[in-house]
Amino acid sequence: MSEHQERVEAGAIAFAMHYRDDIAGDEGLCIEVRAEVEGEDTELLRFDCFRVAPHYHYGPQADDERLMLDLTAAGNALDWTLDCFQRGRLGPMIERAGYPGVAESLDAGALGAAMPNVVSAAREIAASRQS
């Protein structure tokens, strides 16, 4: 795993980002959506923007429902992920992951203020690792 990691706070949630190159035959940016749940820092969602097999997880520390991303339909995995964040899809996704209380506590203002930092950090980490 890369030494370059970034965490951006956004009210009740945080975005933790790092590059993963510890997967045989694949690599890419990993974006975790985290929040404190029952006193524990918990990964609610994870977006693995990998080159070969991009996917995302609902509740990786709970039921861990994994969905593959169809690059033919979605295009670039990182663009698709950031678009989900910017289109307001985090609330419904966090609720589906099994954390309705966190979804209800999302602050649109805090998310909006944090999003430029999330986008720039994600793009910087991904660009720093491209050959």
Side-chain angles (χ1 to χ4, degrees):
M1 194 171 338
S2 168
E3 66 284 342
H4 189 168
Q5 297 186 34
E6 188 78 31
R7 185 175 173 105
V8 177
E9 301 291 330
I13 64 170
F15 297 88
M17 295 167 273
H18 58 275
Y19 197 90
R20 290 195 58 192
D21 56 7
D22 59 340
I23 300 137
D26 210 351
E27 63 183 291
L29 183 68
C30 176
I31 302 176
E32 301 171 359
V33 178
R34 306 187 71 87
E36 188 169 306
V37 176
E38 298 178 4
E40 297 288 328
D41 181 33
T42 304
E43 186 180 23
L44 313 174
L45 302 166
R46 184 172 70 237
F47 298 84
D48 292 319
C49 303
F50 297 157
R51 283 183 311 104
V52 177
H55 58 277
Y56 57 102
H57 300 255
Y58 286 105
Q61 289 181 237
D63 294 334
D64 193 19
E65 179 184 1
R66 179 177 135 173
L67 298 168
M68 299 305 292
L69 194 60
D70 177 358
L71 291 177
T72 302
N76 179 281
L78 179 56
D79 290 344
W80 180 87
T81 299
L82 296 173
D83 187 53
C84 280
F85 298 165
Q86 294 172 318
R87 287 186 303 116
R89 302 311 308 154
L90 278 172
M93 292 180 87
I94 290 170
E95 187 169 340
R96 177 175 170 173
Y99 303 98
V102 176
E104 290 173 12
S105 70
L106 289 177
D107 178 334
L111 278 171
M115 205 46 53
N117 295 328
V118 171
V119 171
S120 65
R123 295 207 183 282
E124 178 183 318
I125 294 168
S128 74
R129 297 301 301 258
Q130 292 179 345
S131 13

